[in-house]
Amino acid sequence: MLDFEKSGGLIPAIIQDAQTLEVLMLGYMNQEAWEKTQTDGRVTFFSRSKNRLWTKGEESGHFLEVVGTHIDCDRDTLLIKVQPKGPTCHTGSRSCFNTDYNQNFIFELVNIINNRYEFPTADSYVNRLRERGLNKIAQKVGEEAVETVIAALAEREVDFVNEASDLLFHLLVLLREKAVSLETITKNLESRHQ
């Protein structure tokens, strides 16, 4: 149960992209906004400037569809994970924190690769790789690894960045082909760190 009384009836609600984990915005909710958010499945705030409930996207159509909610340990702050239906900021940016790129695009890329596996199209590079099978995908990872090493030793940063990007992309495809999630790799790396 949220404690709305602690801060005069309004609690902060941090809005985070459920796929990329990017923080998109901060708003405030009263009890009524929280209940409407839970009922409708779309984020509704209490607008302090308008002095009324305000569903994000009610004018633009850029709604924030609720994926999950988390209450902090003091029960006076919310973290709401969402699927944004367009830009979050009124300026047209992804985030109200003026990030000019998606800092966690890697998670979005994993979802794109998964989507290509579930809904293959003829013009998809991922689909063409998949059709060639595990051996070809693994071979591409090896080729890109060698090219990354060569680019690193050649001391041209642009080449190294491009080859490292190719290597990471092909490794993500190989992980999907082997049905190993990025979360599994992350947990393994974390366990090694301890």
Side-chain angles (χ1 to χ4, degrees), residues 17-22 94 102-105 107-108 111:
D17 187 307
Q19 288 183 333
T20 67
L21 306 180
E22 182 178 14
R94 297 178 44 78
N102 180 350
Q103 300 172 37
N104 297 306
F105 179 73
F107 297 110
E108 192 169 325
N111 288 328

Side-chain angles (χ1 to χ4, degrees), residues 20-38:
T20 67
L21 306 180
E22 182 178 14
V23 174
L24 301 175
M25 69 174 294
L26 171 73
Y28 291 89
M29 291 186 175
N30 61 8
Q31 179 78 39
E32 188 180 2
W34 170 235
E35 289 170 1
K36 183 169 175 48
T37 296
Q38 290 179 297

Side-chain angles (χ1 to χ4, degrees), residues 73-88:
C73 58
D74 293 325
R75 301 180 354 225
D76 62 359
T77 303
L78 276 166
L79 172 64
I80 302 177
K81 293 187 177 184
V82 302
Q83 180 179 8
K85 299 298 182 184
T88 299

Side-chain angles (χ1 to χ4, degrees), residues 2-190:
L2 284 164
D3 185 354
F4 287 95
E5 298 310 313
K6 191 183 289 186
S7 56
L10 294 178
I11 60 167
I14 302 161
I15 308 301
Q16 182 181 41
D17 187 307
Q19 288 183 333
T20 67
L21 306 180
E22 182 178 14
V23 174
L24 301 175
M25 69 174 294
L26 171 73
Y28 291 89
M29 291 186 175
N30 61 8
Q31 179 78 39
E32 188 180 2
W34 170 235
E35 289 170 1
K36 183 169 175 48
T37 296
Q38 290 179 297
T39 301
D40 296 350
R42 289 182 170 161
V43 176
T44 296
F45 298 106
F46 180 81
S47 171
R48 295 171 298 165
S49 59
K50 299 174 184 175
N51 198 31
R52 67 170 176 85
L53 292 186
W54 166 65
T55 299
K56 177 68 177 145
E58 66 187 24
E59 293 175 14
S60 66
H62 300 155
F63 296 103
L64 299 171
E65 305 289 344
V66 176
V67 173
T69 59
H70 306 275
I71 300 171
D72 81 330
C73 58
D74 293 325
R75 301 180 354 225
D76 62 359
T77 303
L78 276 166
L79 172 64
I80 302 177
K81 293 187 177 184
V82 302
Q83 180 179 8
K85 299 298 182 184
T88 299
C89 187
H90 71 282
T91 64
S93 295
R94 297 178 44 78
S95 166
C96 291
F97 295 100
N98 201 22
T99 55
D100 52 359
Y101 68 99
N102 180 350
Q103 300 172 37
N104 297 306
F105 179 73
I106 194 81
F107 297 110
E108 192 169 325
L109 184 56
V110 167
N111 288 328
I112 291 167
I113 291 168
N114 287 337
N115 187 272
R116 299 293 194 267
Y117 265 71
E118 293 170 24
F119 308 102
T121 60
D123 63 339
S124 164
Y125 177 68
V126 171
N127 190 52
R128 290 193 302 274
L129 270 178
R130 185 178 184 202
E131 287 174 349
R132 296 169 126 185
L134 175 62
N135 288 344
K136 182 60 177 173
I137 297 169
Q139 179 185 347
K140 281 299 290 180
V141 171
E143 289 171 10
E144 297 300 342
V146 169
E147 290 173 6
T148 300
V149 170
I150 291 169
L153 296 175
E155 297 183 14
R156 282 197 45 182
E157 184 177 344
V158 66
D159 294 333
F160 176 67
V161 168
N162 284 325
E163 294 302 339
S165 297
D166 289 346
L167 173 59
L168 186 54
F169 170 79
H170 286 91
L171 181 59
L172 291 174
V173 174
L174 180 59
L175 287 172
R176 177 59 174 89
E177 183 68 22
K178 294 292 293 179
V180 174
S181 71
L182 193 56
E183 289 77 13
T184 300
I185 301 300
T186 302
K187 287 177 184 176
N188 186 46
L189 288 169
E190 184 179 31

